[in-house]
């Protein structure tokens, strides 16, 4: 076994038997002592991957103004919660909060609540947000957030939530498990009994079906509170517009793919977000769903080009960097995020589309090839 957490998981499996992918992914990312996010700050060029807010301040600023616009359309309630789910280094929140200062009264109304399980990243967020002068509260779960209207941002949060996987076998959909091979190393396996609740799902033998039950529970709770107490959620992630079959579990270390079983706790593990499932869950909880639209379309609609031009005028020496960052965030070419990442918004029923979601028709499933 290659990592201390991998050895721990192998010992646990030897005692208790194979575990599901959901449990495995949850341990790899969130084990209280040795989980990937528990123990490190993985972001940036020197880390394992780079996220949109780390590419440019423009990303967080634009999302902050999106929140400010919604707040005014909501009738400027005070207090209002500003919530971020999985805030990483706190960069997005800091940039968003700074941008929101231009709206009179908003800063005084804001109560900042961050949902974060990693103590290491909570420390990074505390440090980063100290510069904004706002007071911040942390929560481990969305269920612990106080009541009230809430502006909720989630960037690359849902892709970090553990999923269950089922593989089509002759007898039905059997859960994909992590067990041990004859040498005692972690190895993939399958439950013998099929899952009765999936008896009606169709798919060819060997097909993989993913169920994001944790994401579903969180979306359901947030959509219900938004529909009852007001506010909005904006979720941006790598994922697909239509639910489909396929194994999307991937592990990344130092900007390269690695075997998910090889280095538990040392590699990031993510899945593609199933936006259709999230949208269905939010609608079922009584909220209105907007999009998904692509990240590129959203950022352009929300004024990315104007913001880039302003920044370049202020710092002509940085103009080339700003242009490159804008392309990386919103471009549609190789290695650019504009088309790969999608944005979904949730509001109370009858609120109408938030800015950036109004003009464009939602992505049709055909686009998602
Ligand atoms: N939004 C940030 C970070 C994305 S990485 C950015 O765009 O840079 C995922 C983040 O979600 C990390 O902060 C991680 O610690 C947090 N996280 C993962 N699982 C979580 C859970 N179940 N509850 C709360 N936070 C979680």
């Amino acid at each position: 076994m290659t990592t201390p957490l991998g050895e721990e998981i192998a010992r646990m499996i030897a005692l208790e038997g194979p575990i599901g992918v959901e449990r495995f992914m949850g341990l790899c990312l969130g084990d209280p002592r040795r989980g990937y996010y528990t123990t490190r700050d993985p972001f940036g060029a020197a880390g394992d991957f780079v996220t949109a807010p780390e590419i440019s301040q423009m990303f967080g600023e634009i999302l902050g103004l999106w929140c400010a616009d919604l707040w005014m359309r909501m009738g400027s309630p005070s207090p209002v919660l500003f919530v971020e789910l999985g805030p990483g280094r706190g960069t997005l929140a800091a940039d968003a909060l700074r941008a929101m200062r231009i709206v009179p009264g908003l800063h005084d109304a804001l109560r900042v609540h961050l949902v974060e399980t990693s103590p290491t990243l909570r420390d990074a967020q505390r440090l980063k947000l100290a510069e904004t002068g706002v007071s911040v509260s942390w929560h481990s779960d969305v269920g612990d957030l106080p009541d009230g209207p809430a502006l909720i941002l989630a960037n690359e949060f849902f892709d970090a939530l553990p999923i269950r996987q089922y593989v089509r076998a002759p007898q039905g959909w059997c859960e994909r498990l992590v067990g041990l091979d004859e040498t005692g190393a972690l190895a993939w396996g399958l439950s013998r009994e099929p899952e009765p609740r999936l008896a009606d799902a169709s798919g060819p033998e060997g097909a993989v079906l993913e169920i994001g039950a944790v994401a579903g529970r969180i979306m359901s709770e947030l959509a219900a509170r938004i529909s009852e107490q007001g506010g909005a959620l904006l979720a941006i992630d790598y994922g697909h517009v239509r639910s489909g079959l396929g194994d999307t579990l991937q592990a990344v270390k130092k900007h390269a793919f690695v075997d998910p079983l090889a280095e538990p706790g040392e590699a990031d593990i993510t899945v593609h977000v199933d936006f259709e499932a999230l949208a269905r869950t939010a609608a079922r909880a009584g909220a209105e769903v907007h999009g998904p639209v692509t990240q590129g379309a959203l950022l352009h609609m929300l004024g990315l080009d104007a913001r880039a031009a302003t920044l370049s005028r202020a710092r002509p020496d940085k103009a080339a960097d700003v242009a490159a960052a804008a392309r990386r965030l919103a471009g549609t070419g190789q290695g650019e995020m504009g088309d790969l990442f999608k944005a979904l918004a949730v509001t109370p029923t009858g609120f109408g589309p938030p800015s950036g979601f109004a003009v464009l028709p939602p992505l049709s499933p055909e686009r998602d090839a």
Side-chain angles (χ1 to χ4, degrees):
M1 205 54 54
T2 51
T3 65
L5 181 61
E7 283 170 22
E8 238 174 70
I9 293 175
R11 270 198 301 278
M12 194 179 85
I13 292 172
L15 284 171
E16 298 170 23
I19 58 174
V21 172
E22 185 176 84
R23 179 99 191 273
F24 177 72
M25 189 175 166
L27 287 169
C28 287
L29 295 181
D31 179 81
R33 281 192 318 135
R34 302 189 198 271
Y36 178 77
Y37 284 117
T38 323
T39 52
R40 79 201 62 218
D41 170 348
F43 309 103
D48 292 320
F49 57 93
V50 180
T51 57
E54 304 300 332
I55 291 171
S56 167
Q57 68 188 74
M58 293 185 285
F59 186 78
E61 291 169 347
I62 286 171
L63 299 195
L65 294 179
W66 185 88
C67 289
D69 175 61
L70 270 160
W71 180 69
M72 290 186 285
R73 275 179 56 190
M74 287 157 62
S76 309
S78 182
V80 64
L81 275 67
F82 173 80
V83 177
E84 193 184 346
L85 312 178
R89 280 182 175 167
T91 309
L92 195 169
D95 292 336
L97 288 166
R98 190 178 60 250
M100 282 190 259
R101 280 193 182 279
I102 68 162
V103 177
L106 176 52
H107 242 256
D108 291 336
L110 285 175
R111 304 289 179 270
V112 180
H113 292 269
L114 305 180
V115 179
E116 174 61 68
T117 38
S118 159
T120 309
L121 290 173
R122 280 188 185 195
D123 285 344
Q125 293 153 18
R126 189 174 292 114
L127 211 63
K128 183 80 199 174
L129 291 176
E131 58 192 53
T132 66
V134 295
S135 75
V136 180
S137 312
W138 279 268
H139 310 274
S140 298
D141 187 79
V142 296
D144 303 330
L145 290 167
D147 285 343
L151 302 160
I152 307 171
L153 298 179
N155 186 62
E156 293 209 44
F157 169 72
F158 283 99
D159 71 350
L161 300 178
I163 52 144
R164 286 177 216 151
Q165 289 188 321
Y166 296 88
V167 180
R168 183 75 208 196
Q171 69 271 37
W173 293 96
C174 297
E175 187 169 5
R176 200 173 180 210
L177 303 172
V178 178
L180 302 176
D181 66 14
E182 55 290 347
T183 70
L186 297 178
W188 296 113
L190 270 194
S191 71
R192 221 162 284 139
E193 294 301 318
E195 170 57 52
R197 281 175 297 180
L198 294 174
D200 293 337
S202 57
E205 203 170 323
V208 176
L209 191 157
E210 299 185 333
I211 307 243
V214 179
R217 199 248 324 148
I218 291 175
M219 177 55 102
S220 183
E221 280 189 43
L222 293 176
R225 73 166 287 152
I226 286 169
S227 100
E228 285 155 20
Q229 304 173 38
L233 161 72
L234 178 63
I236 300 184
D237 237 303
Y238 186 73
H240 39 269
V241 170
R242 184 171 53 172
S243 302
L245 298 173
D247 173 10
T248 75
L249 191 76
Q250 59 187 33
V252 166
K253 190 178 173 185
K254 302 259 175 272
H255 304 269
F257 291 112
V258 297
D259 174 359
L261 297 185
E263 299 178 69
E266 297 293 326
D268 186 31
I269 299 193
T270 60
V271 292
H272 296 192
V273 170
D274 181 346
F275 280 99
E276 185 180 348
L278 282 185
R280 211 183 311 121
T281 301
R284 212 182 290 134
E288 194 162 288
V289 178
H290 311 274
V293 299
T294 64
Q295 173 170 307
L298 180 71
L299 293 178
H300 283 305
M301 295 287 300
L302 296 179
L304 176 68
D305 299 317
R307 185 71 193 125
T310 307
L311 283 178
S312 300
R313 267 197 307 276
R315 290 287 306 272
D317 55 315
K318 294 272 182 212
D321 293 346
V322 170
R327 264 200 312 280
R328 182 135 180 233
L329 289 174
T332 56
Q334 183 84 25
E336 296 172 340
M337 304 174 86
D339 245 0
L340 289 176
F341 281 71
K342 277 109 193 163
L344 183 85
V346 175
T347 63
T349 303
F351 188 84
S355 54
F357 289 85
V359 180
L360 294 166
L363 288 172
S364 73
E366 288 69 43
R367 282 205 48 152
D368 197 32

